[in-house]
Structure formats: C-alpha cells, structure tokens
Amino acid sequence: MHCLQCTSESDENCAEGTHQTSECLPEEDSCYTRLVGGHVVRGCLLNLPTDEYASCLNDKTCRSCVGNGCNSAYWPKCHHCGSGDAGCDEEQLSSPEFCGQIAGSNYCYARLTGGQVTRGCGFEDELCAAEPESCQICYNDGCNGLARDALKPTKCQSCSNSNSDCLEGNASKLSSDCSRLADACITLVTAIASSGSVIRDCSEVLEAGIRSCSSTLNNDPLCVSCQGDNCNDKRWLQCHQCKATTLDSSCNAEQVDPAMFCANYRESNRCYSRVLNGSCKFG
C-alpha cells in the first residue's frame, strides 16, 4: 500500500496532490488527507494516533480513502469575503487561505449578485455550479480574486480540429461566448504527433482538463489556460523533431513529413536545426 506522505508546510506539491507516494506499513489499507494548523498533511491512516485516527473518519477537515495513492485530491486555497466586507468588490491582493474542508467541490468561486461580490470555497456555495451566469468557478489557488468589474462574461476561441484557423487561433472566426461568468480560456493539443490537433474553448466546456491546465504546478504540458477575452488565440508551434544516429540517419535528409507539435507551449518558442559532428538535429 502506497500513500502520499507530506505536508504543505515544506512542500507545495503536497497541497496540489502531486507529491510522490511512498510505502506504508504492511497492514495499512487506507490513506488520509487533513488540514492541520493551516497546512495540508497527507499520509497513511494507521500512522495517526488512536484519537486522531477515529476523528479522521468523521471530521470534515480530514478525509480517509482506500487504494494506492488515493489521497491525492487537490485542496484549494481561496479568497474569502462577503458582500458586507470592506474591499470584497476589489481585486484581492492578500494571500488566499486553505478551504476549511476538503469536499467534492474542490474549487474557488466568486459570485456576483445584485452588484455585490462574495468569494469562497466550492463547498460553501453548492449552487454556484448550477448558476454559471452569476458565479465564477476556478481551480487554481487564489483564482477567485478578480475585481467586481472583471467579473463579466468571457469570450474564448472555440474550435476542435486541425484546420488552419484553429491552428493559428483566428479570433475573428472562432470567438464564442462562454456560459460561465469570468471563465478561463483553454488551449490544448491532443498529441505532439503530426496527427494531433488543437482544441480551444472555455474551461467550462473542457471540464476534464481544467485542473491540469489551470494549476501553477501544471502536470499536463499540452494544456494551458488564460484569463481574458480570446486570450487562447496563440499559435502552438509545430517543428520537425528528429536526431540522426548511427542506426537511423534519416534526419540528415530534407524533412518532408508533417511537423510535430512542440511538447510545451512557450509564447516565444522557435524551431531550430543544428549540425553536430556531421549529424543533423531538428527540434
């Protein structure tokens, strides 16, 4: 049995749930995630003292689970304030805080109702998911800090094919209204192979990819998110990628096959070619 065993006090990957797992005691069958002193702690359930073991089964600030690496759920940090709090309408510049409990609604929200803003964690406003026109949902620490004036409907590039407009991000043809208030825009590549395609849309549409795209510890390099109208209009570079070896010298010849997508998005990315010791390398 393996569990994540870490604390966010010393490792930011712990809160994200991306820390590597390690082995528990042979008799262990459960992992836990809990909030202790403002930090996320993960480990093997049997390692907890008896009283803490029992409380973890009933306390909302602690969640146990069964299965290798099952305690990897993201525990978000969000901004918290209500309509009566000074400065809640303004951009939130203070540090966000961990949500008081881990729940199925592991997101931050900002609701705009009657000109008033409220902010918090998903479990505090379960109706938010069903009211996209008045409630922002986002999946990155502190992402619910936009000023009231920025909480407005978003337009994103929307396409899912490999034609030139989608590859280039042709804003005039592809712009589409998002259903979710202040939604993020996403660009993802289905595969780096030349057969891959670009998908652009509102994050609400590409729900399965939201966390990896939005996270500051993005573990999916083929997906990026951004905030702002049509911000996902950037071209994802395609280059010929090969290296000549003693077993395969085809890279020394002119490259006529379709180029491949770069494995990571960089706004200033460039293709390159080089010759080293008489052998070519493209990337």
Side-chain angles (χ1 to χ4, degrees), residues 153-202:
T154 305
K155 293 180 180 291
C156 294
Q157 303 290 286
S158 178
C159 61
S160 57
N161 51 55
S162 56
N163 65 34
S164 59
D165 285 335
C166 197
L167 289 174
E168 298 294 332
N170 190 325
S172 62
K173 294 184 178 181
L174 303 175
S175 183
S176 178
D177 293 327
C178 298
S179 60
R180 171 73 57 187
L181 182 72
D183 204 4
C185 299
I186 284 178
T187 303
L188 68 86
V189 171
T190 58
I192 63 172
S194 57
S195 58
S197 60
V198 172
I199 299 177
R200 306 176 189 272
D201 221 317
C202 308

Side-chain angles (χ1 to χ4, degrees), residues 116-134:
Q116 301 295 313
V117 179
T118 55
R119 310 176 192 271
C121 301
F123 74 89
E124 298 168 326
D125 189 344
E126 295 288 356
L127 293 178
C128 185
E131 299 175 350
E133 70 285 346
S134 61

Side-chain angles (χ1 to χ4, degrees), residues 13-259:
N13 292 291
C14 195
E16 288 281 334
T18 55
H19 191 280
Q20 289 188 341
T21 61
S22 52
E23 192 170 4
C24 301
L25 296 171
E27 61 270 26
E28 182 66 86
D29 66 354
S30 300
C31 306
Y32 75 84
T33 304
R34 63 177 183 159
L35 193 64
V36 180
H39 300 288
V40 173
V41 180
R42 306 179 191 268
C44 308
L45 191 59
L46 288 179
N47 286 347
L48 292 175
T50 303
D51 58 334
E52 295 180 16
Y53 174 95
S55 66
C56 190
L57 302 178
N58 302 294
D59 190 341
K60 291 183 178 180
T61 64
C62 185
R63 171 179 285 187
S64 62
C65 58
V66 177
N68 281 318
C70 64
N71 62 334
S72 61
Y74 166 61
W75 197 311
K77 285 182 178 180
C78 305
H79 294 289
H80 298 77
C81 61
S83 57
D85 297 332
C88 195
D89 288 352
E90 301 170 2
E91 181 182 3
Q92 304 300 294
L93 301 177
S94 60
S95 298
E97 298 179 351
F98 280 116
C99 294
Q101 62 179 263
I102 188 169
S105 305
N106 289 344
Y107 56 77
C108 302
Y109 81 88
R111 176 182 286 280
L112 181 61
T113 305
Q116 301 295 313
V117 179
T118 55
R119 310 176 192 271
C121 301
F123 74 89
E124 298 168 326
D125 189 344
E126 295 288 356
L127 293 178
C128 185
E131 299 175 350
E133 70 285 346
S134 61
C135 203
Q136 177 204 25
I137 285 178
C138 55
Y139 295 79
N140 193 22
D141 287 350
C143 59
N144 63 333
L146 294 175
R148 180 181 62 183
D149 292 344
L151 291 172
K152 57 185 179 181
T154 305
K155 293 180 180 291
C156 294
Q157 303 290 286
S158 178
C159 61
S160 57
N161 51 55
S162 56
N163 65 34
S164 59
D165 285 335
C166 197
L167 289 174
E168 298 294 332
N170 190 325
S172 62
K173 294 184 178 181
L174 303 175
S175 183
S176 178
D177 293 327
C178 298
S179 60
R180 171 73 57 187
L181 182 72
D183 204 4
C185 299
I186 284 178
T187 303
L188 68 86
V189 171
T190 58
I192 63 172
S194 57
S195 58
S197 60
V198 172
I199 299 177
R200 306 176 189 272
D201 221 317
C202 308
S203 67
E204 182 82 354
V205 176
L206 301 176
E207 186 172 358
I210 289 176
R211 275 296 304 134
S212 58
C213 283
S214 302
S215 173
T216 54
L217 300 175
N218 190 346
N219 57 9
D220 185 355
L222 296 181
C223 187
V224 293
S225 71
C226 57
Q227 194 76 44
D229 282 349
N230 295 313
C231 61
N232 63 334
D233 61 348
K234 306 300 187 295
R235 180 171 177 260
W236 199 300
L237 192 65
Q238 292 172 282
C239 303
H240 294 292
Q241 301 175 54
C242 64
K243 179 181 180 180
T245 66
T246 55
L247 297 177
D248 183 2
S249 61
S250 59
C251 196
N252 288 329
E254 180 183 1
Q255 301 302 298
V256 295
D257 292 333

